[in-house]
Amino acid sequence: MVSSTSSSRSLRFRLLRDEDGEALVSLHRRAILATSLAFYSVEERASWAAGLRPDGYADSVRDGETIEVVVGEADVPLGFCGRKPARIEGLYVDPDWQRGGLGSQLLARAEAALLTAGATEITVDASRAALAFYERNGFESDHLFMQKTRGGLEIATLRMVKRLS
């Protein structure tokens, strides 16, 4: 974890750029594969991380998703959060930067944008590993379901809901 005051001053939030694809694939894959075996097996994590493509993020934007990226020095992505109206599509932070507040900052920024756009509640399909994170940020578990990963395996996923005021 890296969260020094000097490092946090050089952080910037910006929208996805086409050239972010390769870096986001690497970050996304590493974040998934770093998930504890207490939550998902090696095979489940590999299936979840399978099929990530650099152009997939731009495709998501063309499909109506907004993706905000937090970058450090040299404009290197450290995390990202995708959102659609009333929904978080995905939130991932580089494993070296986890537990330093970046995820909560990305989530708060997404919530503020969704609230401004008129959302009264937000949903997210969260991994079991992310349950505590979302609960700390005011979400409640709605139900557990099995979700098919890009690699074809199904993994336990939680539908989480947060009502906005």
Side-chain angles (χ1 to χ4, degrees), residues 12-158:
R12 287 184 306 104
F13 294 84
R14 61 166 174 75
L15 293 178
L16 174 81
R17 295 179 185 157
D18 288 339
E19 62 267 21
D20 291 332
E22 291 286 344
L24 290 192
V25 165
S26 175
L27 181 160
H28 198 168
R29 182 174 286 122
R30 286 185 298 109
I32 291 168
L33 297 177
T35 301
S36 170
L37 280 169
F39 299 106
Y40 299 105
S41 71
V42 170
E43 294 79 18
E44 288 171 322
R45 290 180 293 158
S47 184
W48 179 9
L52 293 170
R53 301 179 346 266
D55 60 343
Y57 305 96
D59 289 348
S60 294
V61 169
R62 281 189 287 280
D63 288 340
E65 186 174 334
T66 299
I67 299 176
E68 187 170 32
V69 179
V70 58
V71 296
E73 294 179 22
D75 210 37
V76 174
L78 304 174
F80 67 94
C81 181
R83 67 180 188 269
K84 283 187 173 180
R87 181 163 176 73
I88 301 297
E89 291 294 326
L91 192 162
Y92 292 88
V93 174
D94 183 299
D96 293 337
W97 284 79
Q98 290 177 0
R99 302 202 182 283
L102 285 184
S104 293
Q105 289 178 59
L106 282 163
L107 183 58
R109 293 173 65 87
E111 287 178 13
L114 293 171
L115 183 62
T116 298
T120 58
E121 74 175 26
I122 300 172
T123 62
V124 62
D125 294 341
S127 71
R128 290 183 5 225
L131 173 64
F133 167 78
Y134 284 108
E135 286 179 336
R136 278 193 310 274
N137 284 282
F139 284 75
E140 296 177 359
S141 180
D142 186 52
H143 66 277
L144 179 70
F145 66 100
M146 298 303 289
Q147 182 174 40
K148 191 171 188 174
T149 64
R150 285 175 293 277
L153 293 181
E154 289 189 340
I155 60 171
T157 305
L158 295 137

